[in-house]
């Protein structure tokens, strides 16, 4: 079964609104979670590292004011796309490592398809 | 960011045959981890196989095996006895050790399995 739950799976909204995406680790604690963005037929681009109890670490070129990340508990990280515009339309995926050992894979949520009209 | 390169945007293989997907990466670190993930049309990311850089022995998982060449920074995936369900996008991934443990993905290879 899924070890990482992501919600919602699909959202359509008007330009200018803010959209929140949740990523939950199931049955394990995740002090770190990751947020990726994927355009059609392209790779996953790491956007930011979500750290429980501290500020997120953003990759170069990612607007931290546009993509707000909150990791309020050991099982929940949220990504809020603020004042969304059509160019923010994409597939967003979160992940969490199961355990701290380096050879542990990332467990991914099922992704959120975001469409901004 | 680390650089992970997959030079084959698309590959095809006949059902029951063998195919090899290539991956190279750039790093100055000596200890790291490599993974292959599969993404079917459902877009769910599925782990296929993993390799620790300190291990010389190539990882194998049933029909999937890797050819890990550390000096060449190469990490190819071999799929034997290809099945229709193997059709998907395949991503090679590099995991930074310790510092943040971020994953960096290659550009992907779209695999078609021909019945």
């Amino acid at each position: 079964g899924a070890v990482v739950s992501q919600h919602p799976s699909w959202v359509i909204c008007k330009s200018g609104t803010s959209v929140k995406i949740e990523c939950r680790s199931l049955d394990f604690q995740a002090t770190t979670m990751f947020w990726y963005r994927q355009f059609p037929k392209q790779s996953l681009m790491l956007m930011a590292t979500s750290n429980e109890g501290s500020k997120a670490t953003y990759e170069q070129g990612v607007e931290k004011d546009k993509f707000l990340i909150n990791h309020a508990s050991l099982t929940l990280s949220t990504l809020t796309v603020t004042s969304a515009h059509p160019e923010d339309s994409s597939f967003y995926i979160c992940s969490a490592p199961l355990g701290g050992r380096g050879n542990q894979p990332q467990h991914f949520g099922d992704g959120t398809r975001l469409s901004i009209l | 960011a680390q650089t992970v390169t997959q030079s084959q945007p698309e590959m095809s293989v006949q059902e029951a045959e063998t195919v090899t997907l290539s991956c190279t990466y750039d790093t100055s670190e000596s200890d790291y981890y490599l993974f292959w993930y599969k993404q079917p049309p459902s877009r769910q990311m599925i782990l296929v196989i993993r390799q620790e850089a300190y291990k010389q022995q190539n990882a194998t998982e049933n029909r999937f095996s890797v050819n890990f060449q550390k000096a060449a920074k190469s990490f190819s995936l071999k799929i034997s006895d290809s099945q229709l369900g193997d059709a998907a996008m395949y991503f090679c991934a590099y995991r930074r050790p310790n510092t943040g443990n971020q994953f960096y993905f290659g550009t992907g290879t779209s695999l078609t399995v021909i019945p």
Side-chain angles (χ1 to χ4, degrees):
Chain A
V3 296
V4 174
S5 173
Q6 188 172 340
H7 178 80
S9 57
W10 196 0
V11 58
I12 303 173
C13 60
K14 293 181 178 180
S15 182
T17 59
S18 294
V19 179
K20 180 184 285 187
I21 303 170
E22 293 186 348
C23 181
R24 293 181 184 275
S25 59
L26 306 178
D27 300 324
F28 73 100
Q29 295 180 338
T31 56
T32 303
M33 293 184 178
F34 301 97
W35 287 97
Y36 297 86
R37 182 174 183 176
Q38 185 180 30
F39 291 104
K41 297 186 178 181
Q42 294 190 24
S43 185
L44 281 72
M45 298 298 296
L46 180 64
M47 298 175 64
T49 302
S50 176
N51 303 300
E52 189 271 333
S54 64
K55 291 183 178 180
T57 305
Y58 290 81
E59 294 297 302
Q60 189 174 9
V62 177
E63 300 177 62
K64 59 182 67 178
D65 295 330
K66 160 67 77 174
F67 300 100
L68 299 180
I69 291 172
N70 184 21
H71 198 143
S73 76
L74 288 170
T75 58
L76 174 63
S77 174
T78 60
L79 168 68
T80 301
V81 183
T82 62
S83 186
H85 292 285
E87 58 267 27
D88 298 324
S89 298
S90 189
F91 191 69
Y92 293 87
I93 310 176
C94 71
S95 72
L98 183 61
R101 294 179 57 193
N103 66 344
Q104 291 299 315
Q106 295 284 343
H107 291 273
F108 289 85
D110 287 341
T112 297
R113 189 182 307 274
L114 175 62
S115 298
I116 309 298
L117 303 177
Chain B
Q2 306 300 320
T3 302
V4 181
T5 303
Q6 293 177 248
S7 60
Q8 307 152 315
E10 297 179 346
M11 290 284 284
S12 61
V13 61
Q14 205 77 31
E15 192 175 6
E17 296 296 311
T18 296
V19 64
T20 299
L21 309 183
S22 65
C23 172
T24 59
Y25 55 93
D26 183 26
T27 185
S28 58
E29 293 157 332
S30 60
D31 186 24
Y32 49 87
Y33 306 89
L34 299 166
F35 302 82
W36 277 97
Y37 280 86
K38 167 185 175 181
Q39 189 181 43
S42 66
R43 304 193 81 168
Q44 183 182 15
M45 294 291 285
I46 301 167
L47 175 68
V48 175
I49 199 165
R50 76 186 83 174
Q51 174 82 42
E52 291 92 337
Y54 64 84
K55 289 187 177 179
Q56 292 185 340
Q57 187 174 8
N58 290 323
T60 61
E61 285 288 341
N62 301 315
R63 298 183 295 107
F64 299 89
S65 61
V66 299
N67 183 5
F68 173 50
Q69 301 291 326
K70 190 173 184 179
K73 298 180 183 176
S74 171
F75 182 60
S76 60
L77 174 69
K78 186 171 80 172
I79 306 174
S80 305
D81 186 25
S82 297
Q83 300 175 0
L84 295 178
D86 295 333
M89 282 289 291
Y90 285 81
F91 292 101
C92 176
Y94 170 99
R95 178 174 181 170
R96 291 179 63 186
N98 304 320
T99 308
N101 285 312
Q102 290 95 339
F103 271 48
Y104 295 95
F105 288 87
T107 48
T109 297
S110 177
L111 179 66
T112 300
V113 180
I114 303 167

